[in-house]
Each structure stands twice: as C-alpha cells, then as structure tokens.
Amino acid sequence: MKLRETSSVELKADITDSFLKTVSAFANYRGGTIYFGISDDGEIIGLNNIDKKAISIENRINDTISPVPQFSLNILPDSTIRLTVLSGSETPYYYKGQAYKRAATASVPVDRQELNRLILRGSNINFEELASSRQDLHFHYLEQELKRELGISELNGDILRTLNLYNAETKFNKAARLLADENGLVLIDLAKFGDSIDVIQARLRLENMSILEAYAEATAFFRKFYCYEEIAGIKRERRERVPELSFREALANALVHRAWDVDAPINVAMYADRIEITSLGGLPAGLTADDYLNRQISALSNPILANVFFRLGYIEQFGTGIRRINQSYRNSITKPDYSVGTEAITVILPLFTASVDNLSPEEEKVYAFIQRKTSANRSEIESACALSRAKTLRVLNTLINKGIIKRSGDSRKTHYLLR
C-alpha cells in the first residue's frame, strides 16, 4: 500500500532544507515521520549514496534545530530513509529562529499566541497558573459551593492555597480569576434557535461571574427547552429531550479543557434536533483525537480548574466525560457526535430517541419526526415523511396501538406526541 502525506507523515523525493520545518513542527507537537526517497504521490524512487545522505540529514538537524529534538534514522531495504521525530518536552523547537506546526500536510509558522503556549509548555507551566491581571477578587459563589459540597466553615487563605489559586509569588492566578465573582470575563454564549438560524427564540450571554455560577446558569437555561414534566396517572414524571447528564458533562469538559488564552466564549447552539457545544483551543498537546474519544486519557489543559470541578462533584474521575456522555445515550437510536480539530472541539448532542424494536421503516420515520418536533399534526407528518394520507393514518394508528405515541385534541386540532 502506498504511503500518503498526513499531518504526521511527510514524503520527500530528495533531501532539501524544507524538511527541517517539519522536524520543528513534529517536535513541537505530536511527533511524526518523514520518508526520503518517496515522491509526494507515494511512488518509491529511492536514494543514491544513501549512507552519506543519512549522515547529512542527521547533521542538518543537529546544526539547525534548537534545541535538538529526539529522533531516529533508519535506512530501509528499498533505498529510502525513515526519519522519526518524537514529540519534545523542551518546546519551542526552532528552525532558523522560527517555530513551526502542522496544518494538514503542510508545515507552517506558529503565530504569537501559539508560540506563547509552546513557551509555557516548555517551561512546564499552564496558562491558568500565570498571575491574574486583576487581584481585587472575591469568591462568594465558590465559598457557597465549597460549603455545600465539602462542609467548610469559610473560604480562607489556606484553602485558596490548597486549591492552588493563590501563592506568595504570583498572588491570585488566572484560574482564581475564572472562579471569582465579577471577574470581567465573557464565559458562555447560549442561543436557542427556531426552525432556522435566522430565528433566535432566546439568548443568554454569561459574563462577569464565577465560572461555577455560569455553569449553573447555563444548565438552568438548558432545562427550559429540553426538560419537561408529564402527568402519568396521578404522578408528574420528568422527561428529558436531551439527557441532562450529557449536557452537564459536555459543558464541564468544555470549561475545564478549553484554551482560556483565547478571548472568546464557549458557544452553546441549541436547535430543534440537537445541541452543539463548541470550545476553543483544540486538543491539549500530546493528546490525539482517538485518545480523547476512546481511551479515557485526560491530558488536562487546566488542572487547577479541573481539580476544583472534581472536588465539587461537577465532574467525576478525570478522562471519563466522553464515556459518560455516550452511556447516557446507550438506549437511544441517535448518538452523540464529536468534531475534534486543532483549533476547536464541538460536542453534538442529538435529541434522545428511545430505542423501539420491530418498527417498519415508515414507522421509524414517523416516530423520529414526532420525537424531533415534540408534537405534530397529521399533515405535517405526511409532508415531512413523504407518505400518502392513508398511509400516514395507518402508521399513526399502529404506533398508537403499540403504545409508542398518543393522540391529543379533536378534529382539526388533533396532534400526535410521544407517550
């Protein structure tokens, strides 16, 4: 099978100095492999004087990349050379005074913000540990939550130090500011859309408050649109159109893992059939999309914040958020989806569609439409599902007889909804 270029693989027909940009990019982030003697389209060309060229590669890295990253060279039987560059801990790794990163299959210079992140990582410092530009901070909401969950009598200096929010050198850090009341920060922007993005039914912008209070306010906003009560006999039963657990986990993950050096809020877009939660910053260095989605590995971008959320019971064991979201949909036909990029992560939570066995394709289509709309009349169902009037009525009656949906109203006001 032919090799192809990816974000972690580069192919070079011969040896030119351009490969050194990629060495910098691989060392600065997740590592990668460069093959020499293979064309861009994956054809093996091979190299002459291969021993001398291997030495040349090694010398160029040692002479031009600062600091020198860990790497290995292998001469392969097909007269090609494989250069493996490991992700480094002494970032940034410069080539001719410039640090690089991978953008798809290209190696490009990092911008100032990204360079600052590399410098902090190379110094083993997180952004949240830096000194806050504001020191006039108060923590009434944090104190209230610590009293509720941990039973403290008051929030004093010793507790602030234990939570790593304050030290003698930096005083209050950026994590402390996020947790403080009236912090001057824009945190979460929520919008509930109607039938299209041109129709905004409700909007809530959470700013100048503790990140903990913003989390609570966002959850309350969610409940207005995706949770309701239904009378079943003499009881009121709570229903969730989107599992609240999944929303809380996704939002907590966004708050704890996002890059707070980006001056923009977390966006929560609420639609008729889904919720999309987008946080900026992408994956932490050293974490792949597969790690994030499947392996319960947690490389924390903000360990101080994560620790506070953990102590307060907002999140459980680190690295289990995605698993808990997926578990909340285990009995649903629809499943969560995830868009994981280098600049942002979006979690998509669809409406919960209960798994119903032994439905025909037409019954599944009608059921899904009613579930998405909450309530619909016969003509709406007929049009949306592309069924005849007679077929629509037969399907509706079948679903009623199976106890899956129910009819409400009389004559022209008749509509159908889930039981």
Side-chain angles (χ1 to χ4, degrees):
M1 186 175 69
K2 284 185 179 180
L3 285 171
R4 62 183 183 86
E5 290 195 328
T6 68
S7 61
S8 60
V9 175
E10 182 153 306
L11 307 178
K12 294 290 186 183
D14 206 345
I15 300 169
T16 64
D17 283 349
S18 63
F19 87 89
L20 294 163
K21 297 178 182 179
T22 304
V23 173
S24 165
F26 286 162
N28 279 325
Y29 293 93
R30 297 180 179 88
T33 307
I34 305 172
Y35 291 89
F36 299 90
I38 302 179
S39 66
D40 289 345
D41 59 6
E43 291 291 336
I44 296 175
I45 300 170
L47 298 169
N48 297 320
N49 301 318
I50 197 165
D51 291 323
K52 289 184 179 179
K53 289 188 175 179
I55 292 172
S56 174
I57 292 169
E58 184 174 356
N59 288 339
R60 292 190 202 197
I61 294 173
N62 290 332
D63 292 344
T64 62
I65 305 293
S66 178
V68 178
Q70 287 186 283
F71 65 93
S72 63
L73 277 169
N74 298 97
I75 297 175
L76 304 180
D78 56 6
S79 296
T80 62
I81 297 174
R82 181 178 63 219
L83 169 62
T84 303
V85 182
L86 301 183
S87 175
S89 60
E90 299 179 72
T91 58
Y93 292 86
Y94 294 100
Y95 167 59
K96 291 186 175 179
Q98 175 68 59
Y100 289 83
K101 68 176 182 178
R102 292 292 276 178
T105 60
S107 297
V108 300
V110 301
D111 59 22
R112 184 66 198 176
Q113 184 178 64
E114 193 64 35
L115 180 61
N116 287 339
R117 291 176 184 170
L118 289 172
I119 292 170
L120 288 176
R121 180 153 61 86
S123 302
N124 198 29
I125 298 173
N126 292 300
F127 177 78
E128 63 172 357
E129 296 177 66
L130 299 177
S132 169
S133 58
R134 284 183 53 177
Q135 293 292 317
D136 56 331
L137 303 178
H138 304 282
F139 301 92
H140 300 301
Y141 198 92
L142 173 60
E143 182 177 49
Q144 167 189 308
E145 289 295 278
L146 289 170
K147 286 180 177 179
R148 174 189 60 80
E149 185 66 22
L150 301 181
I152 68 166
S153 57
E154 65 174 351
L155 179 59
N156 55 36
D158 288 339
I159 294 175
L160 288 170
R161 289 183 180 88
T162 299
L163 294 174
N164 294 316
L165 302 176
Y166 183 92
N167 63 56
E169 184 178 347
T170 62
K171 307 297 183 184
F172 287 122
N173 56 29
K174 292 184 181 295
R177 182 175 177 183
L178 284 164
L179 291 160
D181 313 308
E182 299 180 2
N183 53 29
L185 300 173
V186 179
L187 302 170
I188 309 173
D189 191 4
L190 303 100
K192 175 65 175 70
F193 296 99
D195 293 334
S196 73
I197 58 173
D198 297 323
V199 179
I200 299 178
Q201 296 176 331
R203 186 78 179 267
L204 180 63
R205 190 174 174 87
L206 299 170
E207 56 189 328
N208 198 32
M209 64 177 66
S210 168
I211 191 175
L212 304 176
E213 184 176 5
Y215 177 71
E217 291 289 325
T219 302
F221 189 80
F222 158 85
R223 289 180 184 139
K224 289 181 182 179
F225 302 102
Y226 295 95
C227 300
Y228 63 96
E229 288 188 345
E230 181 178 81
I231 298 176
I234 61 173
K235 295 182 179 179
R236 283 184 175 271
E237 295 184 357
R238 188 172 188 271
R239 307 293 189 196
E240 298 177 348
R241 300 182 67 208
V242 170
E244 183 175 325
L245 183 149
S246 66
F247 179 81
R248 293 173 69 93
E249 286 286 342
L251 185 60
N253 271 3
L255 291 167
V256 166
H257 289 294
R258 68 153 292 172
W260 284 106
D261 58 351
V262 180
D263 188 19
I266 290 168
N267 287 308
V268 180
M270 298 176 164
Y271 301 96
D273 62 342
R274 70 193 187 281
I275 300 174
E276 297 183 359
I277 301 174
T278 301
S279 61
L280 300 177
L283 292 172
L287 199 67
T288 67
D290 184 57
D291 293 334
Y292 175 78
L293 296 174
N294 302 315
R295 299 183 186 277
Q296 294 182 218
I297 298 172
S298 185
L300 296 172
S301 300
N302 304 290
I304 297 174
L305 278 180
N307 179 56
V308 173
F309 271 60
F310 175 71
R311 285 172 178 261
L312 293 175
Y314 290 9
I315 59 176
E316 292 199 359
Q317 179 182 349
F318 299 144
T320 63
I322 297 300
R323 178 173 59 84
R324 285 167 56 78
I325 292 170
N326 291 338
Q327 282 183 345
S328 70
Y329 279 87
R330 61 187 177 276
N331 295 322
S332 175
I333 295 171
T334 53
K335 302 296 182 184
D337 196 9
Y338 307 91
S339 175
V340 181
T342 58
E343 303 300 328
I345 296 174
T346 299
V347 178
I348 303 167
L349 304 174
L351 295 191
F352 188 96
T353 304
S355 180
V356 181
D357 296 329
N358 302 319
L359 294 186
S360 69
E362 292 84 2
E363 290 166 356
E364 285 187 359
K365 189 182 295 185
V366 171
Y367 172 79
F369 179 72
I370 295 173
Q371 197 274 346
R372 191 166 61 249
K373 291 283 290 183
T374 303
S375 173
N377 61 39
R378 191 265 313 154
S379 61
E380 289 175 324
I381 298 167
E382 179 182 320
S383 174
C385 299
L387 300 174
S388 68
R389 184 177 187 276
K391 182 68 172 178
T392 301
L393 289 171
R394 283 199 299 273
V395 169
L396 288 170
N397 287 331
T398 300
L399 292 174
I400 289 171
N401 291 334
K402 289 182 177 181
I404 295 170
I405 67 171
K406 61 185 178 181
R407 184 189 293 112
S408 180
D410 297 316
S411 188
R412 293 183 180 179
K413 294 183 179 180
T414 298
H415 58 280
Y416 301 86
L417 60 158
L418 300 186
R419 283 192 175 276

